[in-house]
Amino acid sequence: MNAVPSTLQQQTDQLSETVTRPIPGSRKIHVTGSQPDIRVAMREIAQTRTPTLFGGEDNPPVTVYDPSGPYTDPDVSIDLSAGLAAIRARWIEARGDTEVLTGLSSEFGRAREHDPKLAHVRFPSRVLPRRAQAGANVTQMHYARRGIVTPEMEYVAIRENQRLDLVRDAHLRAQHPGEAFGASIQQAITPEFVRDEIARGRAVLPNNINHPESEPMIIGRNFLTKINANIGNSAVSSGIAEEVEKLVWAIRWGGDTVMDLSTGKHIHETREWIVRNAPVPIGTVPIYQALEKVDGRAEALTWEIFRDTLIEQAEQGVDYFTIHAGVLLRYVPLTARRVTGIVSRGGSIMAKWCLAHHKENFLYTHFEDICEIMKAYDVTFSLGDGLRPGCIADANDAAQFGELETLGELTKIAWKHDVQTMIEGPGHVPMQLIKENMDKQLRECGEAPFYTLGPLTTDIAPGYDHITSAIGAAMIGWYGTAMLCYVTPKEHLGLPNREDVRDGIMAYKIAAHAADLAKGHPGAQVRDNALSKARFEFRWQDQFNLGLDPEKAESFHDETLPKDAHKAAHFCSMCGPHFCSMKITQDVREYAAEQGLETSDALAAGMAEKSAQFRAQGSEVYRPE
Amino acid sequence: MNAVPSTLQQQTDQLSETVTRPIPGSRKIHVTGSQPDIRVAMREIAQTRTPTLFGGEDNPPVTVYDPSGPYTDPDVSIDLSAGLAAIRARWIEARGDTEVLTGLSSEFGRAREHDPKLAHVRFPSRVLPRRAQAGANVTQMHYARRGIVTPEMEYVAIRENQRLDLVRDAHLRAQHPGEAFGASIQQAITPEFVRDEIARGRAVLPNNINHPESEPMIIGRNFLTKINANIGNSAVSSGIAEEVEKLVWAIRWGGDTVMDLSTGKHIHETREWIVRNAPVPIGTVPIYQALEKVDGRAEALTWEIFRDTLIEQAEQGVDYFTIHAGVLLRYVPLTARRVTGIVSRGGSIMAKWCLAHHKENFLYTHFEDICEIMKAYDVTFSLGDGLRPGCIADANDAAQFGELETLGELTKIAWKHDVQTMIEGPGHVPMQLIKENMDKQLRECGEAPFYTLGPLTTDIAPGYDHITSAIGAAMIGWYGTAMLCYVTPKEHLGLPNREDVRDGIMAYKIAAHAADLAKGHPGAQVRDNALSKARFEFRWQDQFNLGLDPEKAESFHDETLPKDAHKAAHFCSMCGPHFCSMKITQDVREYAAEQGLETSDALAAGMAEKSAQFRAQGSEVYRPE
């Protein structure tokens, strides 16, 4: 820690105070697997008893998926300068197919490491990287195809199940039949199912061997829908401490993976701080950094520079790389008549390179070389949609779909190397054209996981694109997209601040959960059921705590009814104390139950008598006990 | 105006200063119909020229639908104490089928009018109400069925078309084919089509003859999707001035109708202020007020009290009434096992009444009596879904669908009386169950317009239910819902403030527009196309102005790049000045166009030569002119 100067040290110390407090009403739990070091983190939300008036029963705690890592665990002390505990290190080492290098393999990495001018921003507790032994393939897909269930696979099986086996209450378990559009939804996830899905390429488990701090998670349409949050300092804004804080903030609210899209001057050092402190997989777009190495001149990019960048980042522990290898020379002119041309940064870099050289995209021509690097560190491909539509008008056009077909070809090549692969998708797409995207992706890419940005369902709402896109995200998630890349309210306008990140994540947690409900994921409705029961019973605090954002729910409530007493009140702010529909409903329920009015036949008999009774009892909801 | 005390006067004066300024970059225009007093208000958004680097052409102004009324028209001076101009008065009078009454017909109205204690809140410029002459039926449906095209119908035809005939640019007109699920989407709306849709009951034009201030609008699935915003003072909060301000605020951002859900002590007077100053149709739930007249005791409600309330509100000019006539006694016990029982206030009031009396709902038994009142003032039915599901678990159950079937029966009865009718819908519904709601509604209710609240697609996000519900709203709008009732972020938690109202409306404008795009409404994509072209060409101000919320878009932009100069800059804040994908795309486009690289055949030839040229020219986007 002595290498960290006081300014950065102070900033990173502050993190723990602001964004690491436990989430209200809940606690971190760990479910142990077949060996003691498989300790799967979850969040358990406590519930209070049902008020006596409503029946007085106990309400079981609700377990929810929790990507927030040790930051929300009061038992763990956080030291950002040391990084998180390397929970996977022993598993990686035990496989015996990797070696610890004597130094960094990338030229760029070595140069940065010895540059005294970078001492003030360098991560102080760097360990030496690992790489596959010569000839070895260390991907989860490789293990899966050889029939090996890794501890990582077991971890995600436990994680996906969310202790659903403990939920025995029939009302909590009740769920509508889903429509899964051909997905293979399981009643319970077994480690063997995880292995099989990874082996088939229908799911990815992105965990670089140099990122042993990460808690394993899985991306595939037969698992819970995941979301990604982007962070990244640009030339215009943001520093290292701010980016690490954004990471912690993003996972606090539910980011399942985080992409570091930094383009600024300490991109290498920022990334190191992020990866070392990330309990979630980190994705990057290596071409951004490669471009900086050639001073922003796309035409000066070379395979050698790009290759060095891949190795640099792979040895830092980046878990997945967005690679725009499908931007083929022949597709580029297809974008010329678009309204918004090429809006993907990576796509436009490669398009410029292709035009300048009139050669095929070097990411495409070197694709098997890239596979060799990916399998030496277990980096997952996120095959970039460099030609995604940037507006409604350009949706589902020849350029976009041509590239998707090429991504399908590349998927098969990656799979030949047992390299895990997911496919990035659009973008801006009107609702009636969304399903065509999903169906074509499944067909072309052999069911490799789809990872989409939105899509935004209209262009006309700058400032609200988290909403225009949450609509499309929920739909495409339902249709089968495995991970949804968030969009913040600042999309198209500026860089997101902390509240924008939170708003973007919330919109996407909603979209992902709505998709899980619609697909019929077992247990997806438990949290809805628990929250709605709490709402009905005026258990305000339980309602807040079961929600995606307890802090906001409570603060909104307090704006109208600030007194603590109101949180125990059996009315809500919408109708005031004198009239409340839930109050009346409770009346209906008690009455119907007491009188045995369960069927319309029963109603037909004795109406007048019952009416008289009801009025004689005061026609009131709450009778003195 | 002398009757208005200084406090209220001051508050209502303040309105004009805060919420009536013109919307940035646009102006109010009026399109004249077949007679000079048919002056259809629209908003025209100006555009700047395309920068020379991008081609230098003029960009035509874009006309958009505008429910904001005279408040955003700098040529109109607003006097809330006088009310808006009665633009429809002459049309109503000219039909010769109404009479001006000598006083209010409702007992309650008369009592309030002469109560000196109410002087400080009473609207000062009250005129005498109109009613149909004995035996006459003054509904737009009645005229429509007799083949009469009213000025109101002509107004909405012009309004729906939004001057699309003036948009000649092929790029602006370009639009993807829609999927309308059997809707009858027209290339251009004629007055005759409007008449026919109203006659068939597939659309409603809610304009009470006592609300001549309203600008005609239409609700039906073959027209643009509309949204409703709710306002209303509850016992806990809000006063008259605040409610009128909310009205003006809600229509400023795009509310097509406004429901006044007040339950407080000056409910009658508040409503008068609202209706007199509303250029949009106003809806109410009369049972709320009726309940207050019996001190909140649902069982004390009588047909006579309710009837007096209907007449009271009809003579104030309320344009549509939510009537929970489908809450039948036999459906009530079906809710007893629900997770959240009956969540509709109106539904629970009627359920309580039914149980207390063990009689059938008096709104059902008196339905034809209600029709007689509706047709005497042209009040439109909004048949309430009193048994809508209040949580995901309760969606699409027997109670909900039983009630919907009854609403279908009632629709036919209303139509027998030529009373305009729309049907309210849920609620909380997971995505895979939404379409069943729409399909059943169309089938049961003979294609009467559906008017849904959301639906919310999950229960787990209190604080973000504008988003959980915008997802469902966009989908059900696509499937055929004619009007979407907004939900604000405060839903389930508290009363919305001004920013919540804006957020709710924006979420619903997005949902409605996404639905119009998906259905393939002619011209729906013009605004998307214009905005995206502006975005591509770095016409920042045009991008803001073409958006749904120019003020927020600009303020978000300015957070990252506050300097004015940046609004002319050819880069954006996401990538900074040194790298920008749009900059590169422009390069691709110019290059492809100049070199004739329109097909991949062209690409095959002369690669090396072109590459050399490109680099010789500096490989730069912007060449000196």
Side-chain angles (χ1 to χ4, degrees):
Chain A
M1 297 200 355
N2 49 354
V4 185
S6 59
T7 315
L8 188 55
Q9 183 68 58
Q10 273 181 342
Q11 289 172 329
T12 52
D13 277 355
Q14 282 168 359
L15 284 188
S16 9
E17 292 167 12
T18 53
V19 298
T20 63
R21 65 187 179 278
I23 295 169
S26 62
R27 66 188 182 107
K28 179 80 70 178
I29 59 166
H30 293 87
V31 178
T32 305
S34 64
Q35 53 194 64
D37 63 351
I38 298 180
R39 292 180 70 241
V40 183
M42 302 180 188
R43 187 159 67 87
E44 185 185 82
I45 304 170
Q47 293 200 83
T48 59
R49 275 175 70 86
T50 293
T52 313
L53 286 166
F54 294 88
E57 76 269 21
D58 282 326
N59 293 291
V62 175
T63 305
V64 298
Y65 199 99
D66 179 15
S68 67
Y71 297 101
T72 51
D73 186 346
D75 297 339
V76 174
S77 76
I78 300 292
D79 176 358
L80 295 178
S81 305
L84 299 176
I87 60 168
R88 295 198 304 126
R90 209 184 62 81
W91 309 339
I92 296 163
E93 195 180 351
R95 288 192 277 263
D97 51 4
T98 56
E99 59 190 0
V100 177
L101 302 178
T102 55
L104 300 180
S105 311
S106 72
E107 280 180 42
F108 186 84
R110 286 195 299 271
R112 302 291 284 193
E113 198 168 43
H114 299 112
D115 186 342
K117 293 196 300 295
L118 298 171
H120 69 293
V121 291
R122 193 177 292 129
F123 181 77
S125 318
R126 173 101 184 194
V127 296
L128 287 170
R130 275 183 186 274
R131 189 175 60 196
Q133 291 168 359
N137 183 332
V138 300
T139 71
Q140 294 287 325
M141 187 178 209
H142 187 68
Y143 305 137
R145 288 182 162 182
R146 286 158 65 208
I148 299 167
V149 174
T150 63
E152 286 88 343
M153 296 174 198
E154 184 185 340
Y155 190 108
V156 300
I158 295 168
R159 192 172 198 180
E160 290 283 319
N161 286 326
Q162 291 302 299
R163 303 205 299 178
L164 184 60
D165 54 317
L166 297 188
V167 182
R168 301 219 177 73
D169 181 282
H171 285 100
L172 277 183
R173 296 279 311 224
Q175 185 161 333
H176 298 284
E179 163 57 77
F181 298 106
S184 177
I185 306 295
Q186 304 293 300
Q187 281 310 304
I189 304 291
T190 61
E192 174 58 24
F193 180 74
V194 172
R195 187 205 59 72
D196 192 55
E197 289 291 291
I198 294 171
R200 292 172 68 156
R202 286 206 302 213
V204 296
L205 197 164
N207 280 140
N208 185 323
I209 56 169
N210 288 311
H211 188 194
E213 302 89 349
S214 66
E215 298 173 354
M217 55 80 71
I218 195 158
I219 302 165
R221 74 169 166 141
N222 298 322
F223 301 96
L224 294 167
T225 307
K226 304 303 188 297
I227 72 162
N228 172 69
N230 294 330
I231 59 175
N233 62 331
S234 85
V236 199
S237 173
S238 190
I240 288 179
E242 196 177 328
E243 291 310 310
V244 177
E245 180 156 300
K246 276 190 202 161
L247 161 75
V248 177
W249 185 247
I251 61 177
R252 173 181 183 80
W253 298 113
D256 292 294
T257 75
V258 168
M259 288 196 79
D260 173 17
L261 303 183
S262 297
T263 55
K265 92 179 178 192
H266 296 128
I267 178 171
H268 177 87
E269 290 69 28
T270 303
R271 185 186 311 121
E272 189 72 30
W273 280 90
I274 289 173
V275 175
R276 296 288 72 79
N277 288 289
V280 299
I282 297 296
T284 62
V285 189
I287 202 80
Y288 293 176
Q289 188 183 4
L291 189 72
E292 300 208 338
K293 292 177 180 175
V294 294
D295 299 323
R297 292 169 301 121
E299 65 279 10
L301 283 166
T302 63
W303 161 243
E304 289 69 29
I305 288 166
F306 187 74
R307 180 179 176 281
D308 196 68
T309 305
L310 292 184
I311 293 170
E312 171 203 340
Q313 297 196 12
E315 293 190 353
Q316 287 189 300
V318 173
D319 300 287
Y320 62 90
F321 287 156
T322 293
I323 307 270
H324 297 93
V327 180
L328 300 192
L329 184 55
R330 66 176 181 271
Y331 300 143
V332 175
L334 299 177
T335 68
R337 287 184 175 163
R338 281 179 161 186
V339 172
T340 53
I342 301 176
V343 295
S344 149
R345 273 193 274 176
S348 51
I349 294 165
M350 293 320 299
K352 187 167 179 179
W353 189 92
C354 289
L355 288 192
H357 295 275
H358 275 280
K359 285 191 186 151
E360 194 51 277
N361 181 338
F362 67 82
L363 303 173
Y364 181 81
T365 56
H366 284 278
F367 193 73
E368 301 215 40
D369 298 323
I370 299 173
C371 290
E372 295 297 336
I373 298 168
M374 305 299 262
K375 67 194 192 192
Y377 303 95
D378 196 8
V379 184
T380 296
F381 271 119
S382 185
L383 295 177
D385 56 335
L387 304 180
R388 69 168 177 266
C391 64
I392 292 294
D394 296 343
N396 293 22
D397 72 354
Q400 183 198 337
F401 281 168
E403 181 187 33
L404 182 55
E405 289 160 20
T406 298
L407 299 185
E409 289 170 35
L410 295 172
T411 301
K412 276 86 182 184
I413 296 171
W415 286 352
K416 192 182 72 184
H417 291 269
D418 294 351
V419 174
Q420 303 191 86
T421 302
M422 57 185 173
I423 311 294
E424 295 185 10
H428 292 237
V429 185
M431 285 193 287
Q432 82 277 23
L433 302 187
I434 291 176
K435 192 153 188 301
E436 183 182 8
N437 277 274
M438 188 72 233
D439 293 345
K440 187 174 174 72
Q441 190 274 341
L442 289 171
R443 195 168 61 243
E444 300 289 344
C445 303
E447 299 188 77
F450 206 20
Y451 167 28
T452 62
L453 179 75
L456 287 70
T457 53
T458 166
D459 304 339
I460 69 167
Y464 300 86
D465 279 327
H466 60 313
I467 299 177
T468 65
S469 67
I471 294 168
M475 292 175 69
I476 206 162
W478 177 22
Y479 300 151
T481 288
M483 185 157 76
L484 306 168
C485 182
Y486 91 159
V487 171
T488 77
K490 289 275 171 62
E491 182 78 10
H492 299 119
L493 297 171
L495 295 169
N497 61 27
R498 191 189 279 187
E499 283 312 303
D500 297 321
V501 167
R502 178 176 176 169
D503 283 343
I505 289 175
M506 284 299 145
Y508 275 70
K509 291 302 282 182
I510 289 166
H513 184 71
D516 289 339
L517 282 177
K519 289 165 76 176
H521 268 288
Q525 205 179 301
V526 170
R527 192 171 179 180
D528 295 78
N529 294 344
L531 189 146
S532 291
K533 183 169 186 285
R535 180 175 280 158
F536 181 75
E537 294 170 355
F538 295 103
R539 288 184 279 121
W540 286 103
Q541 203 66 54
D542 290 355
Q543 185 194 156
F544 305 150
N545 293 345
L546 286 162
L548 289 177
D549 187 345
E551 294 171 3
K552 178 155 287 184
E554 181 157 5
S555 75
F556 274 6
H557 175 271
D558 290 356
E559 277 181 38
T560 310
L561 291 176
K563 286 179 226 133
D564 269 352
H566 277 131
K567 276 173 213 151
H570 291 169
F571 64 90
C572 53
S573 52
M574 284 74 79
C575 311
H578 298 304
F579 178 76
C580 176
S581 61
M582 291 217 183
K583 190 163 166 251
I584 292 180
T585 299
Q586 181 59 13
D587 187 14
V588 169
R589 178 184 290 190
E590 285 181 10
Y591 187 73
E594 279 172 20
Q595 309 296 335
L597 299 182
E598 292 293 328
T599 69
S600 40
D601 286 350
L603 270 175
M607 291 284 165
E609 183 202 7
K610 281 163 184 163
S611 169
Q613 275 177 11
F614 185 81
R615 277 177 295 190
Q617 287 162 352
S619 298
E620 282 308 315
V621 177
Y622 304 122
R623 303 194 196 113
E625 291 179 78
Chain B
M1 297 198 359
N2 48 353
V4 184
S6 59
T7 316
L8 188 56
Q9 182 68 59
Q10 273 182 341
Q11 289 173 328
T12 52
D13 277 355
Q14 282 169 357
L15 285 188
S16 9
E17 292 167 13
T18 53
V19 298
T20 64
R21 65 187 180 279
I23 295 169
S26 63
R27 66 188 182 107
K28 179 80 71 178
I29 60 166
H30 293 87
V31 178
T32 305
S34 64
Q35 54 194 64
D37 64 351
I38 297 180
R39 291 180 72 240
V40 183
M42 302 180 188
R43 187 159 67 88
E44 185 185 82
I45 303 170
Q47 292 200 81
T48 59
R49 275 175 70 86
T50 294
T52 312
L53 287 164
F54 292 89
E57 76 269 20
D58 283 326
N59 293 291
V62 174
T63 305
V64 298
Y65 199 98
D66 179 16
S68 67
Y71 297 101
T72 51
D73 186 347
D75 297 339
V76 175
S77 76
I78 300 294
D79 176 358
L80 295 178
S81 305
L84 298 177
I87 61 168
R88 295 198 304 126
R90 208 185 64 78
W91 308 340
I92 295 163
E93 195 181 351
R95 287 193 278 262
D97 52 3
T98 57
E99 60 189 2
V100 177
L101 302 178
T102 54
L104 300 181
S105 311
S106 72
E107 281 180 40
F108 186 85
R110 284 197 299 272
R112 302 292 285 192
E113 197 168 44
H114 299 113
D115 185 342
K117 293 196 299 295
L118 298 171
H120 70 293
V121 290
R122 192 178 292 129
F123 181 76
S125 318
R126 172 100 185 194
V127 296
L128 287 168
R130 274 182 186 274
R131 189 175 60 195
Q133 292 169 358
N137 183 330
V138 300
T139 71
Q140 293 287 324
M141 188 179 209
H142 188 66
Y143 305 136
R145 288 181 162 183
R146 287 158 63 208
I148 298 168
V149 174
T150 63
E152 285 89 342
M153 296 173 198
E154 185 185 340
Y155 190 109
V156 300
I158 295 169
R159 193 172 199 182
E160 290 283 319
N161 287 325
Q162 291 301 299
R163 303 204 300 177
L164 184 59
D165 54 319
L166 298 188
V167 182
R168 301 217 177 78
D169 181 284
H171 286 100
L172 277 183
R173 298 278 312 222
Q175 186 161 334
H176 297 285
E179 164 56 76
F181 298 105
S184 177
I185 305 296
Q186 303 294 299
Q187 280 311 303
I189 304 292
T190 62
E192 175 57 25
F193 181 74
V194 172
R195 187 205 59 72
D196 192 55
E197 289 291 292
I198 294 170
R200 292 171 70 154
R202 284 207 302 213
V204 297
L205 196 164
N207 280 141
N208 185 322
I209 56 170
N210 288 311
H211 188 196
E213 301 90 347
S214 67
E215 298 174 354
M217 56 79 71
I218 195 159
I219 301 164
R221 74 170 165 140
N222 299 321
F223 301 96
L224 293 167
T225 307
K226 304 304 187 296
I227 71 162
N228 171 71
N230 295 330
I231 60 175
N233 62 331
S234 85
V236 197
S237 173
S238 190
I240 288 180
E242 196 177 329
E243 290 311 310
V244 177
E245 180 156 300
K246 276 190 203 161
L247 161 75
V248 177
W249 184 248
I251 61 177
R252 173 182 183 79
W253 298 112
D256 293 294
T257 76
V258 168
M259 289 195 78
D260 174 17
L261 303 184
S262 296
T263 54
K265 91 179 176 189
H266 296 128
I267 178 170
H268 177 86
E269 289 69 28
T270 303
R271 185 187 310 119
E272 189 71 29
W273 280 91
I274 288 172
V275 175
R276 296 285 74 79
N277 288 289
V280 299
I282 297 296
T284 62
V285 189
I287 202 80
Y288 293 176
Q289 189 183 3
L291 189 72
E292 300 209 338
K293 292 178 181 176
V294 295
D295 299 324
R297 292 171 301 122
E299 64 279 11
L301 284 167
T302 64
W303 160 243
E304 289 69 28
I305 288 165
F306 187 73
R307 180 179 177 280
D308 196 68
T309 305
L310 291 184
I311 293 171
E312 170 204 342
Q313 296 196 13
E315 293 191 353
Q316 287 189 299
V318 173
D319 300 287
Y320 62 90
F321 286 155
T322 293
I323 306 271
H324 297 92
V327 180
L328 300 191
L329 185 55
R330 67 177 181 273
Y331 300 144
V332 174
L334 298 177
T335 67
R337 287 182 174 165
R338 281 179 160 186
V339 172
T340 54
I342 301 176
V343 294
S344 150
R345 273 194 274 175
S348 51
I349 293 166
M350 294 319 301
K352 186 166 181 179
W353 189 93
C354 290
L355 288 191
H357 294 275
H358 274 281
K359 284 192 185 151
E360 194 51 276
N361 181 339
F362 67 80
L363 303 174
Y364 181 81
T365 56
H366 283 278
F367 193 72
E368 301 214 42
D369 298 323
I370 300 173
C371 289
E372 295 297 337
I373 298 168
M374 305 299 261
K375 67 194 191 194
Y377 303 95
D378 196 9
V379 184
T380 296
F381 272 119
S382 185
L383 294 178
D385 57 334
L387 304 181
R388 69 167 177 268
C391 64
I392 292 295
D394 296 342
N396 294 22
D397 72 355
Q400 183 198 336
F401 279 169
E403 181 187 35
L404 181 55
E405 289 160 21
T406 297
L407 299 185
E409 288 170 36
L410 295 172
T411 301
K412 274 88 181 181
I413 296 171
W415 285 352
K416 191 182 72 182
H417 290 270
D418 293 350
V419 174
Q420 304 191 83
T421 303
M422 56 185 174
I423 311 294
E424 295 184 11
H428 292 237
V429 186
M431 285 192 287
Q432 83 276 24
L433 302 187
I434 292 177
K435 194 157 187 301
E436 183 182 8
N437 277 273
M438 188 71 235
D439 293 345
K440 186 172 175 73
Q441 189 275 339
L442 289 170
R443 195 168 60 244
E444 300 290 344
C445 304
E447 298 189 79
F450 205 22
Y451 167 29
T452 62
L453 179 77
L456 287 71
T457 53
T458 167
D459 305 337
I460 69 166
Y464 300 87
D465 279 327
H466 60 312
I467 300 177
T468 65
S469 67
I471 294 167
M475 292 174 69
I476 206 162
W478 177 23
Y479 300 152
T481 288
M483 186 157 74
L484 307 168
C485 182
Y486 90 160
V487 170
T488 76
K490 290 275 170 62
E491 183 78 11
H492 300 117
L493 297 171
L495 294 169
N497 61 26
R498 190 189 280 187
E499 282 311 304
D500 297 322
V501 168
R502 179 178 177 167
D503 283 343
I505 289 176
M506 283 299 144
Y508 275 70
K509 292 300 282 183
I510 289 166
H513 183 71
D516 289 339
L517 282 177
K519 289 165 77 177
H521 268 289
Q525 206 178 302
V526 170
R527 192 171 179 179
D528 295 78
N529 294 343
L531 189 147
S532 291
K533 184 169 186 286
R535 179 175 282 159
F536 181 74
E537 294 170 355
F538 296 103
R539 287 183 279 121
W540 286 103
Q541 204 66 54
D542 290 354
Q543 185 193 157
F544 305 151
N545 294 345
L546 287 162
L548 289 177
D549 187 344
E551 294 170 4
K552 178 155 288 184
E554 182 156 5
S555 76
F556 275 7
H557 175 269
D558 290 355
E559 277 181 38
T560 310
L561 292 175
K563 286 181 227 131
D564 269 352
H566 277 130
K567 276 172 211 153
H570 292 167
F571 64 88
C572 53
S573 51
M574 284 75 79
C575 313
H578 299 305
F579 179 74
C580 174
S581 62
M582 292 217 183
K583 191 163 166 252
I584 291 178
T585 300
Q586 180 60 12
D587 187 15
V588 169
R589 178 184 291 190
E590 285 181 11
Y591 187 73
E594 279 173 21
Q595 309 296 332
L597 299 182
E598 293 293 327
T599 67
S600 41
D601 287 350
L603 269 175
M607 291 284 166
E609 185 203 6
K610 280 161 185 163
S611 167
Q613 272 177 12
F614 185 82
R615 278 177 295 189
Q617 286 162 354
S619 299
E620 282 308 316
V621 178
Y622 303 122
R623 299 194 198 115
E625 291 181 73

